[in-house]
PDB file of all heavy atoms in Angstrom:
ATOM      1  N   GLY A   3      -2.408  17.860   0.037  1.00 99.00           N
ATOM      2  CA  GLY A   3      -2.541  17.431  -1.361  1.00 99.00           C
ATOM      3  C   GLY A   3      -3.857  17.891  -1.965  1.00 99.00           C
ATOM      4  O   GLY A   3      -4.352  17.309  -2.933  1.00 99.00           O
ATOM      5  N   CYS A   5      -4.552  20.264  -3.853  1.00 98.00           N
ATOM      6  CA  CYS A   5      -4.501  20.825  -5.214  1.00 98.00           C
ATOM      7  C   CYS A   5      -4.364  19.733  -6.263  1.00 98.00           C
ATOM      8  O   CYS A   5      -4.228  20.021  -7.460  1.00 98.00           O
ATOM      9  CB  CYS A   5      -3.338  21.808  -5.345  1.00 98.00           C
ATOM     10  SG  CYS A   5      -3.542  23.232  -4.276  1.00 98.00           S
ATOM     11  N   GLY A   6      -4.356  18.481  -5.842  1.00 98.00           N
ATOM     12  CA  GLY A   6      -4.250  17.374  -6.794  1.00 98.00           C
ATOM     13  C   GLY A   6      -5.620  16.949  -7.308  1.00 98.00           C
ATOM     14  O   GLY A   6      -6.639  17.614  -7.060  1.00 98.00           O
ATOM     15  N   PHE A   7      -5.632  15.835  -8.003  1.00 99.00           N
ATOM     16  CA  PHE A   7      -6.839  15.341  -8.666  1.00 99.00           C
ATOM     17  C   PHE A   7      -7.970  15.043  -7.672  1.00 99.00           C
ATOM     18  O   PHE A   7      -9.034  15.688  -7.699  1.00 99.00           O
ATOM     19  CB  PHE A   7      -6.438  14.113  -9.501  1.00 99.00           C
ATOM     20  CG  PHE A   7      -7.547  13.201  -9.911  1.00 99.00           C
ATOM     21  CD1 PHE A   7      -8.699  13.695 -10.507  1.00 99.00           C
ATOM     22  CD2 PHE A   7      -7.420  11.821  -9.747  1.00 99.00           C
ATOM     23  CE1 PHE A   7      -9.719  12.836 -10.913  1.00 99.00           C
ATOM     24  CE2 PHE A   7      -8.430  10.961 -10.151  1.00 99.00           C
ATOM     25  CZ  PHE A   7      -9.576  11.459 -10.725  1.00 99.00           C
ATOM     26  N   ILE A   8      -7.774  14.093  -6.776  1.00 99.00           N
ATOM     27  CA  ILE A   8      -8.878  13.695  -5.881  1.00 99.00           C
ATOM     28  C   ILE A   8      -9.030  14.698  -4.735  1.00 99.00           C
ATOM     29  O   ILE A   8     -10.148  15.088  -4.364  1.00 99.00           O
ATOM     30  CB  ILE A   8      -8.649  12.275  -5.305  1.00 99.00           C
ATOM     31  CG1 ILE A   8      -8.352  11.266  -6.423  1.00 99.00           C
ATOM     32  CG2 ILE A   8      -9.873  11.822  -4.504  1.00 99.00           C
ATOM     33  CD1 ILE A   8      -7.894   9.909  -5.927  1.00 99.00           C
ATOM     34  N   GLY A   9      -7.880  15.157  -4.191  1.00 99.00           N
ATOM     35  CA  GLY A   9      -7.917  16.090  -3.062  1.00 99.00           C
ATOM     36  C   GLY A   9      -8.723  17.341  -3.388  1.00 99.00           C
ATOM     37  O   GLY A   9      -9.498  17.824  -2.553  1.00 99.00           O
ATOM     38  N   LEU A  26      -3.001  22.209   2.650  1.00 99.00           N
ATOM     39  CA  LEU A  26      -1.530  22.233   2.683  1.00 99.00           C
ATOM     40  C   LEU A  26      -1.043  21.466   1.462  1.00 99.00           C
ATOM     41  O   LEU A  26      -1.329  20.271   1.324  1.00 99.00           O
ATOM     42  CB  LEU A  26      -1.014  21.563   3.966  1.00 99.00           C
ATOM     43  CG  LEU A  26       0.516  21.360   4.042  1.00 99.00           C
ATOM     44  CD1 LEU A  26       1.259  22.690   4.026  1.00 99.00           C
ATOM     45  CD2 LEU A  26       0.894  20.560   5.288  1.00 99.00           C
ATOM     46  N   ASP A  27      -0.337  22.145   0.568  1.00 99.00           N
ATOM     47  CA  ASP A  27       0.111  21.480  -0.660  1.00 99.00           C
ATOM     48  C   ASP A  27       1.468  22.057  -1.062  1.00 99.00           C
ATOM     49  O   ASP A  27       1.690  23.270  -1.007  1.00 99.00           O
ATOM     50  CB  ASP A  27      -0.922  21.689  -1.782  1.00 99.00           C
ATOM     51  CG  ASP A  27      -0.762  20.666  -2.906  1.00 99.00           C
ATOM     52  OD1 ASP A  27       0.324  20.633  -3.547  1.00 99.00           O
ATOM     53  OD2 ASP A  27      -1.702  19.895  -3.151  1.00 99.00           O
ATOM     54  N   LYS A  28       2.348  21.151  -1.496  1.00 98.00           N
ATOM     55  CA  LYS A  28       3.698  21.559  -1.908  1.00 98.00           C
ATOM     56  C   LYS A  28       3.701  22.117  -3.327  1.00 98.00           C
ATOM     57  O   LYS A  28       4.662  22.741  -3.750  1.00 98.00           O
ATOM     58  CB  LYS A  28       4.590  20.313  -1.828  1.00 98.00           C
ATOM     59  CG  LYS A  28       6.060  20.518  -2.028  1.00 98.00           C
ATOM     60  CD  LYS A  28       6.771  19.170  -1.807  1.00 98.00           C
ATOM     61  CE  LYS A  28       8.244  19.238  -2.093  1.00 98.00           C
ATOM     62  NZ  LYS A  28       8.895  17.931  -1.870  1.00 98.00           N
ATOM     63  N   LEU A  29       2.634  21.862  -4.060  1.00 98.00           N
ATOM     64  CA  LEU A  29       2.543  22.215  -5.484  1.00 98.00           C
ATOM     65  C   LEU A  29       3.701  21.590  -6.255  1.00 98.00           C
ATOM     66  O   LEU A  29       4.546  22.287  -6.837  1.00 98.00           O
ATOM     67  CB  LEU A  29       2.475  23.735  -5.691  1.00 98.00           C
ATOM     68  CG  LEU A  29       1.220  24.413  -5.148  1.00 98.00           C
ATOM     69  CD1 LEU A  29       1.250  25.924  -5.389  1.00 98.00           C
ATOM     70  CD2 LEU A  29      -0.053  23.811  -5.762  1.00 98.00           C
ATOM     71  N   THR A  30       3.743  20.270  -6.251  1.00 98.00           N
ATOM     72  CA  THR A  30       4.676  19.542  -7.109  1.00 98.00           C
ATOM     73  C   THR A  30       4.136  19.651  -8.536  1.00 98.00           C
ATOM     74  O   THR A  30       3.120  20.331  -8.774  1.00 98.00           O
ATOM     75  CB  THR A  30       4.720  18.050  -6.730  1.00 98.00           C
ATOM     76  OG1 THR A  30       3.433  17.486  -7.018  1.00 98.00           O
ATOM     77  CG2 THR A  30       5.062  17.850  -5.251  1.00 98.00           C
ATOM     78  N   ALA A  32       2.302  17.803  -9.957  1.00 98.00           N
ATOM     79  CA  ALA A  32       0.909  17.323 -10.011  1.00 98.00           C
ATOM     80  C   ALA A  32      -0.074  18.263  -9.329  1.00 98.00           C
ATOM     81  O   ALA A  32      -1.281  18.118  -9.474  1.00 98.00           O
ATOM     82  CB  ALA A  32       0.814  15.939  -9.363  1.00 98.00           C
ATOM     83  N   GLY A  33       0.435  19.226  -8.580  1.00 98.00           N
ATOM     84  CA  GLY A  33      -0.445  20.147  -7.857  1.00 98.00           C
ATOM     85  C   GLY A  33      -0.794  21.335  -8.742  1.00 98.00           C
ATOM     86  O   GLY A  33       0.062  21.880  -9.432  1.00 98.00           O
ATOM     87  N   GLY A  48       3.350  24.164   1.314  1.00 98.00           N
ATOM     88  CA  GLY A  48       4.366  23.531   2.144  1.00 98.00           C
ATOM     89  C   GLY A  48       4.375  22.031   1.950  1.00 98.00           C
ATOM     90  O   GLY A  48       3.499  21.448   1.299  1.00 98.00           O
ATOM     91  N   ASP A  49       5.408  21.427   2.554  1.00 99.00           N
ATOM     92  CA  ASP A  49       5.686  19.993   2.409  1.00 99.00           C
ATOM     93  C   ASP A  49       5.161  19.269   3.651  1.00 99.00           C
ATOM     94  O   ASP A  49       5.434  19.707   4.777  1.00 99.00           O
ATOM     95  CB  ASP A  49       7.217  19.861   2.308  1.00 99.00           C
ATOM     96  CG  ASP A  49       7.690  18.457   2.000  1.00 99.00           C
ATOM     97  OD1 ASP A  49       6.963  17.497   2.323  1.00 99.00           O
ATOM     98  OD2 ASP A  49       8.784  18.332   1.443  1.00 99.00           O
ATOM     99  N   ILE A  50       4.460  18.172   3.456  1.00 99.00           N
ATOM    100  CA  ILE A  50       3.938  17.446   4.633  1.00 99.00           C
ATOM    101  C   ILE A  50       5.067  16.835   5.463  1.00 99.00           C
ATOM    102  O   ILE A  50       4.858  16.445   6.607  1.00 99.00           O
ATOM    103  CB  ILE A  50       2.898  16.352   4.273  1.00 99.00           C
ATOM    104  CG1 ILE A  50       3.490  15.285   3.338  1.00 99.00           C
ATOM    105  CG2 ILE A  50       1.638  16.964   3.687  1.00 99.00           C
ATOM    106  CD1 ILE A  50       2.648  14.006   3.277  1.00 99.00           C
ATOM    107  N   ASN A  68      -5.185  13.076   4.529  1.00 99.00           N
ATOM    108  CA  ASN A  68      -3.906  13.115   3.821  1.00 99.00           C
ATOM    109  C   ASN A  68      -4.012  12.554   2.401  1.00 99.00           C
ATOM    110  O   ASN A  68      -3.936  11.342   2.184  1.00 99.00           O
ATOM    111  CB  ASN A  68      -2.838  12.337   4.600  1.00 99.00           C
ATOM    112  CG  ASN A  68      -1.499  12.394   3.874  1.00 99.00           C
ATOM    113  OD1 ASN A  68      -1.214  13.329   3.132  1.00 99.00           O
ATOM    114  ND2 ASN A  68      -0.665  11.373   4.101  1.00 99.00           N
ATOM    115  N   PHE A  69      -4.169  13.481   1.440  1.00 99.00           N
ATOM    116  CA  PHE A  69      -4.155  13.116   0.019  1.00 99.00           C
ATOM    117  C   PHE A  69      -2.760  13.285  -0.569  1.00 99.00           C
ATOM    118  O   PHE A  69      -2.500  12.819  -1.681  1.00 99.00           O
ATOM    119  CB  PHE A  69      -5.095  14.037  -0.781  1.00 99.00           C
ATOM    120  CG  PHE A  69      -6.553  13.835  -0.504  1.00 99.00           C
ATOM    121  CD1 PHE A  69      -7.208  14.602   0.443  1.00 99.00           C
ATOM    122  CD2 PHE A  69      -7.283  12.878  -1.193  1.00 99.00           C
ATOM    123  CE1 PHE A  69      -8.560  14.430   0.704  1.00 99.00           C
ATOM    124  CE2 PHE A  69      -8.634  12.699  -0.955  1.00 99.00           C
ATOM    125  CZ  PHE A  69      -9.276  13.477   0.002  1.00 99.00           C
ATOM    126  N   ALA A  70      -1.883  14.014   0.136  1.00 99.00           N
ATOM    127  CA  ALA A  70      -0.576  14.354  -0.454  1.00 99.00           C
ATOM    128  C   ALA A  70       0.244  13.094  -0.661  1.00 99.00           C
ATOM    129  O   ALA A  70       0.438  12.301   0.257  1.00 99.00           O
ATOM    130  CB  ALA A  70       0.166  15.317   0.463  1.00 99.00           C
ATOM    131  N   ALA A  71       0.715  12.915  -1.876  1.00 99.00           N
ATOM    132  CA  ALA A  71       1.564  11.760  -2.175  1.00 99.00           C
ATOM    133  C   ALA A  71       2.177  11.955  -3.549  1.00 99.00           C
ATOM    134  O   ALA A  71       1.683  12.738  -4.362  1.00 99.00           O
ATOM    135  CB  ALA A  71       0.730  10.470  -2.161  1.00 99.00           C
ATOM    136  N   GLU A  72       3.265  11.261  -3.780  1.00 98.00           N
ATOM    137  CA  GLU A  72       3.705  11.012  -5.149  1.00 98.00           C
ATOM    138  C   GLU A  72       2.886   9.815  -5.576  1.00 98.00           C
ATOM    139  O   GLU A  72       2.819   8.818  -4.846  1.00 98.00           O
ATOM    140  CB  GLU A  72       5.203  10.705  -5.184  1.00 98.00           C
ATOM    141  CG  GLU A  72       6.084  11.906  -4.906  1.00 98.00           C
ATOM    142  CD  GLU A  72       5.991  12.984  -5.983  1.00 98.00           C
ATOM    143  OE1 GLU A  72       5.654  12.653  -7.142  1.00 98.00           O
ATOM    144  OE2 GLU A  72       6.230  14.156  -5.666  1.00 98.00           O
ATOM    145  N   THR A  73       2.253   9.889  -6.765  1.00 98.00           N
ATOM    146  CA  THR A  73       1.204   8.907  -7.057  1.00 98.00           C
ATOM    147  C   THR A  73       1.397   8.089  -8.329  1.00 98.00           C
ATOM    148  O   THR A  73       0.593   7.188  -8.591  1.00 98.00           O
ATOM    149  CB  THR A  73      -0.162   9.625  -7.184  1.00 98.00           C
ATOM    150  OG1 THR A  73      -0.085  10.573  -8.266  1.00 98.00           O
ATOM    151  CG2 THR A  73      -0.553  10.346  -5.910  1.00 98.00           C
ATOM    152  N   THR A  88       7.771  11.651   0.663  1.00 99.00           N
ATOM    153  CA  THR A  88       6.401  12.132   0.922  1.00 99.00           C
ATOM    154  C   THR A  88       5.506  11.041   1.506  1.00 99.00           C
ATOM    155  O   THR A  88       4.828  11.254   2.511  1.00 99.00           O
ATOM    156  CB  THR A  88       5.785  12.686  -0.388  1.00 99.00           C
ATOM    157  OG1 THR A  88       6.558  13.814  -0.804  1.00 99.00           O
ATOM    158  CG2 THR A  88       4.342  13.111  -0.187  1.00 99.00           C
ATOM    159  N   VAL A 110      -5.285   8.507   3.064  1.00 99.00           N
ATOM    160  CA  VAL A 110      -5.880   8.062   1.800  1.00 99.00           C
ATOM    161  C   VAL A 110      -4.870   7.142   1.109  1.00 99.00           C
ATOM    162  O   VAL A 110      -3.849   7.582   0.596  1.00 99.00           O
ATOM    163  CB  VAL A 110      -6.230   9.272   0.912  1.00 99.00           C
ATOM    164  CG1 VAL A 110      -6.835   8.803  -0.402  1.00 99.00           C
ATOM    165  CG2 VAL A 110      -7.201  10.199   1.648  1.00 99.00           C
ATOM    166  N   SER A 111      -5.182   5.856   1.133  1.00 99.00           N
ATOM    167  CA  SER A 111      -4.245   4.887   0.561  1.00 99.00           C
ATOM    168  C   SER A 111      -4.871   4.207  -0.662  1.00 99.00           C
ATOM    169  O   SER A 111      -5.851   4.709  -1.224  1.00 99.00           O
ATOM    170  CB  SER A 111      -3.813   3.889   1.643  1.00 99.00           C
ATOM    171  OG  SER A 111      -2.771   3.080   1.154  1.00 99.00           O
ATOM    172  N   THR A 112      -4.299   3.095  -1.052  1.00 99.00           N
ATOM    173  CA  THR A 112      -4.616   2.535  -2.369  1.00 99.00           C
ATOM    174  C   THR A 112      -4.733   1.012  -2.340  1.00 99.00           C
ATOM    175  O   THR A 112      -4.074   0.348  -1.526  1.00 99.00           O
ATOM    176  CB  THR A 112      -3.506   2.949  -3.364  1.00 99.00           C
ATOM    177  OG1 THR A 112      -3.629   2.182  -4.551  1.00 99.00           O
ATOM    178  CG2 THR A 112      -2.106   2.723  -2.801  1.00 99.00           C
ATOM    179  N   TYR A 137       6.224   2.822  -5.770  1.00 99.00           N
ATOM    180  CA  TYR A 137       5.073   3.633  -5.342  1.00 99.00           C
ATOM    181  C   TYR A 137       4.252   2.885  -4.296  1.00 99.00           C
ATOM    182  O   TYR A 137       4.011   3.395  -3.191  1.00 99.00           O
ATOM    183  CB  TYR A 137       4.184   4.000  -6.538  1.00 99.00           C
ATOM    184  CG  TYR A 137       2.779   4.414  -6.126  1.00 99.00           C
ATOM    185  CD1 TYR A 137       2.555   5.594  -5.424  1.00 99.00           C
ATOM    186  CD2 TYR A 137       1.676   3.600  -6.420  1.00 99.00           C
ATOM    187  CE1 TYR A 137       1.276   5.965  -5.012  1.00 99.00           C
ATOM    188  CE2 TYR A 137       0.399   3.962  -6.017  1.00 99.00           C
ATOM    189  CZ  TYR A 137       0.198   5.144  -5.312  1.00 99.00           C
ATOM    190  OH  TYR A 137      -1.069   5.498  -4.901  1.00 99.00           O
ATOM    191  N   LYS A 141       3.506   3.656  -0.278  1.00 99.00           N
ATOM    192  CA  LYS A 141       2.172   3.811   0.314  1.00 99.00           C
ATOM    193  C   LYS A 141       1.976   2.785   1.440  1.00 99.00           C
ATOM    194  O   LYS A 141       1.410   3.100   2.486  1.00 99.00           O
ATOM    195  CB  LYS A 141       1.077   3.627  -0.750  1.00 99.00           C
ATOM    196  CG  LYS A 141       1.005   4.740  -1.785  1.00 99.00           C
ATOM    197  CD  LYS A 141       0.630   6.095  -1.230  1.00 99.00           C
ATOM    198  CE  LYS A 141      -0.806   6.177  -0.777  1.00 99.00           C
ATOM    199  NZ  LYS A 141      -1.133   7.572  -0.312  1.00 99.00           N
ATOM    200  N   GLY A 164      -8.430   3.002  -1.755  1.00 99.00           N
ATOM    201  CA  GLY A 164      -9.290   3.155  -2.923  1.00 99.00           C
ATOM    202  C   GLY A 164      -8.719   2.469  -4.154  1.00 99.00           C
ATOM    203  O   GLY A 164      -7.516   2.206  -4.250  1.00 99.00           O
ATOM    204  N   SER A 165      -9.603   2.226  -5.097  1.00 99.00           N
ATOM    205  CA  SER A 165      -9.164   1.612  -6.359  1.00 99.00           C
ATOM    206  C   SER A 165      -8.914   2.700  -7.406  1.00 99.00           C
ATOM    207  O   SER A 165      -9.009   3.898  -7.109  1.00 99.00           O
ATOM    208  CB  SER A 165     -10.202   0.590  -6.838  1.00 99.00           C
ATOM    209  OG  SER A 165     -11.432   1.235  -7.107  1.00 99.00           O
ATOM    210  N   ASN A 166      -8.614   2.294  -8.642  1.00 98.00           N
ATOM    211  CA  ASN A 166      -8.246   3.246  -9.713  1.00 98.00           C
ATOM    212  C   ASN A 166      -9.335   4.291  -9.912  1.00 98.00           C
ATOM    213  O   ASN A 166     -10.461   3.960 -10.284  1.00 98.00           O
ATOM    214  CB  ASN A 166      -8.049   2.498 -11.029  1.00 98.00           C
ATOM    215  CG  ASN A 166      -6.654   1.951 -11.146  1.00 98.00           C
ATOM    216  OD1 ASN A 166      -6.295   1.036 -10.380  1.00 98.00           O
ATOM    217  ND2 ASN A 166      -5.867   2.484 -12.049  1.00 98.00           N
ATOM    218  N   THR A 167      -8.951   5.542  -9.724  1.00 99.00           N
ATOM    219  CA  THR A 167      -9.921   6.622  -9.729  1.00 99.00           C
ATOM    220  C   THR A 167      -9.815   7.417 -11.035  1.00 99.00           C
ATOM    221  O   THR A 167      -8.724   7.598 -11.561  1.00 99.00           O
ATOM    222  CB  THR A 167      -9.670   7.500  -8.485  1.00 99.00           C
ATOM    223  OG1 THR A 167      -9.711   6.635  -7.337  1.00 99.00           O
ATOM    224  CG2 THR A 167     -10.697   8.592  -8.327  1.00 99.00           C
ATOM    225  N   GLN A 172      -7.791  15.078 -13.712  1.00 98.00           N
ATOM    226  CA  GLN A 172      -6.696  14.126 -13.431  1.00 98.00           C
ATOM    227  C   GLN A 172      -5.504  14.440 -14.329  1.00 98.00           C
ATOM    228  O   GLN A 172      -5.651  14.638 -15.540  1.00 98.00           O
ATOM    229  CB  GLN A 172      -7.165  12.679 -13.647  1.00 98.00           C
ATOM    230  CG  GLN A 172      -6.112  11.655 -13.212  1.00 98.00           C
ATOM    231  CD  GLN A 172      -6.627  10.224 -13.186  1.00 98.00           C
ATOM    232  OE1 GLN A 172      -7.533   9.869 -13.942  1.00 98.00           O
ATOM    233  NE2 GLN A 172      -6.047   9.397 -12.333  1.00 98.00           N
ATOM    234  N   LYS A 176      -1.745   9.595 -16.242  1.00 98.00           N
ATOM    235  CA  LYS A 176      -2.433   8.350 -15.911  1.00 98.00           C
ATOM    236  C   LYS A 176      -3.186   7.849 -17.138  1.00 98.00           C
ATOM    237  O   LYS A 176      -3.517   8.631 -18.041  1.00 98.00           O
ATOM    238  CB  LYS A 176      -3.403   8.566 -14.736  1.00 98.00           C
ATOM    239  CG  LYS A 176      -2.766   9.246 -13.514  1.00 98.00           C
ATOM    240  CD  LYS A 176      -1.937   8.314 -12.671  1.00 98.00           C
ATOM    241  CE  LYS A 176      -0.987   8.962 -11.696  1.00 98.00           C
ATOM    242  NZ  LYS A 176      -1.469   9.964 -10.809  1.00 98.00           N
ATOM    243  N   HIS A 209     -15.296   8.211  -4.788  1.00 99.00           N
ATOM    244  CA  HIS A 209     -14.141   8.045  -3.895  1.00 99.00           C
ATOM    245  C   HIS A 209     -14.205   9.093  -2.772  1.00 99.00           C
ATOM    246  O   HIS A 209     -14.025   8.782  -1.591  1.00 99.00           O
ATOM    247  CB  HIS A 209     -12.846   8.173  -4.719  1.00 99.00           C
ATOM    248  CG  HIS A 209     -11.631   7.644  -4.019  1.00 99.00           C
ATOM    249  ND1 HIS A 209     -10.447   7.365  -4.672  1.00 99.00           N
ATOM    250  CD2 HIS A 209     -11.391   7.356  -2.714  1.00 99.00           C
ATOM    251  CE1 HIS A 209      -9.553   6.930  -3.799  1.00 99.00           C
ATOM    252  NE2 HIS A 209     -10.104   6.918  -2.610  1.00 99.00           N
TER     253      HIS A 209
HETATM  254  P1  NAD B   1      -2.179  13.716  -7.492  1.00 71.94           P
HETATM  255  O1  NAD B   1      -0.860  13.177  -7.940  1.00 71.94           O
HETATM  256  O2  NAD B   1      -3.148  14.213  -8.492  1.00 71.94           O
HETATM  257  O3  NAD B   1      -1.946  14.918  -6.458  1.00 71.94           O
HETATM  258  C1  NAD B   1      -1.052  14.826  -5.395  1.00 71.94           C
HETATM  259  C2  NAD B   1      -1.064  16.174  -4.670  1.00 71.94           C
HETATM  260  O4  NAD B   1      -0.177  16.087  -3.538  1.00 71.94           O
HETATM  261  C3  NAD B   1      -0.566  17.336  -5.540  1.00 71.94           C
HETATM  262  O5  NAD B   1      -1.380  18.463  -5.342  1.00 71.94           O
HETATM  263  C4  NAD B   1       0.845  17.578  -5.004  1.00 71.94           C
HETATM  264  O6  NAD B   1       1.293  18.919  -5.184  1.00 71.94           O
HETATM  265  C5  NAD B   1       0.688  17.215  -3.532  1.00 71.94           C
HETATM  266  N1  NAD B   1       1.943  16.809  -2.892  1.00 71.94           N
HETATM  267  C6  NAD B   1       2.849  15.896  -3.331  1.00 71.94           C
HETATM  268  N2  NAD B   1       3.864  15.798  -2.465  1.00 71.94           N
HETATM  269  C7  NAD B   1       3.592  16.640  -1.437  1.00 71.94           C
HETATM  270  C8  NAD B   1       4.252  16.952  -0.239  1.00 71.94           C
HETATM  271  N3  NAD B   1       5.430  16.395   0.106  1.00 71.94           N
HETATM  272  N4  NAD B   1       3.692  17.852   0.596  1.00 71.94           N
HETATM  273  C9  NAD B   1       2.513  18.454   0.271  1.00 71.94           C
HETATM  274  N5  NAD B   1       1.844  18.200  -0.867  1.00 71.94           N
HETATM  275  C10 NAD B   1       2.371  17.299  -1.703  1.00 71.94           C
HETATM  276  O7  NAD B   1      -2.811  12.592  -6.576  1.00 71.94           O
HETATM  277  P2  NAD B   1      -4.256  11.889  -6.618  1.00 71.94           P
HETATM  278  O8  NAD B   1      -4.323  10.982  -7.782  1.00 71.94           O
HETATM  279  O9  NAD B   1      -5.296  12.904  -6.402  1.00 71.94           O
HETATM  280  O10 NAD B   1      -4.147  10.956  -5.322  1.00 71.94           O
HETATM  281  C11 NAD B   1      -4.447  11.471  -4.038  1.00 71.94           C
HETATM  282  C12 NAD B   1      -4.247  10.360  -3.007  1.00 71.94           C
HETATM  283  O11 NAD B   1      -5.115   9.274  -3.309  1.00 71.94           O
HETATM  284  C13 NAD B   1      -2.836   9.782  -2.996  1.00 71.94           C
HETATM  285  O12 NAD B   1      -2.475   9.543  -1.666  1.00 71.94           O
HETATM  286  C14 NAD B   1      -2.962   8.479  -3.760  1.00 71.94           C
HETATM  287  O13 NAD B   1      -2.009   7.529  -3.307  1.00 71.94           O
HETATM  288  C15 NAD B   1      -4.371   8.068  -3.399  1.00 71.94           C
HETATM  289  N6  NAD B   1      -5.060   7.240  -4.408  1.00 71.94           N
HETATM  290  C16 NAD B   1      -5.109   7.660  -5.717  1.00 71.94           C
HETATM  291  C17 NAD B   1      -5.804   6.883  -6.645  1.00 71.94           C
HETATM  292  C18 NAD B   1      -5.877   7.285  -8.098  1.00 71.94           C
HETATM  293  O14 NAD B   1      -6.285   6.453  -8.919  1.00 71.94           O
HETATM  294  N7  NAD B   1      -5.519   8.497  -8.483  1.00 71.94           N
HETATM  295  C19 NAD B   1      -6.436   5.689  -6.238  1.00 71.94           C
HETATM  296  C20 NAD B   1      -6.351   5.305  -4.893  1.00 71.94           C
HETATM  297  C21 NAD B   1      -5.667   6.096  -3.988  1.00 71.94           C
END
Side-chain angles (χ1 to χ4, degrees):
C5 296
F7 161 50
I8 308 170
L26 173 63
D27 199 299
K28 188 176 175 180
L29 294 179
T30 66
D49 186 334
I50 60 164
N68 181 27
F69 291 94
E72 289 294 335
T73 61
T88 297
V110 180
S111 189
T112 167
Y137 161 68
K141 291 296 290 183
S165 63
N166 275 67
T167 305
Q172 187 170 29
K176 309 282 164 51
H209 197 164

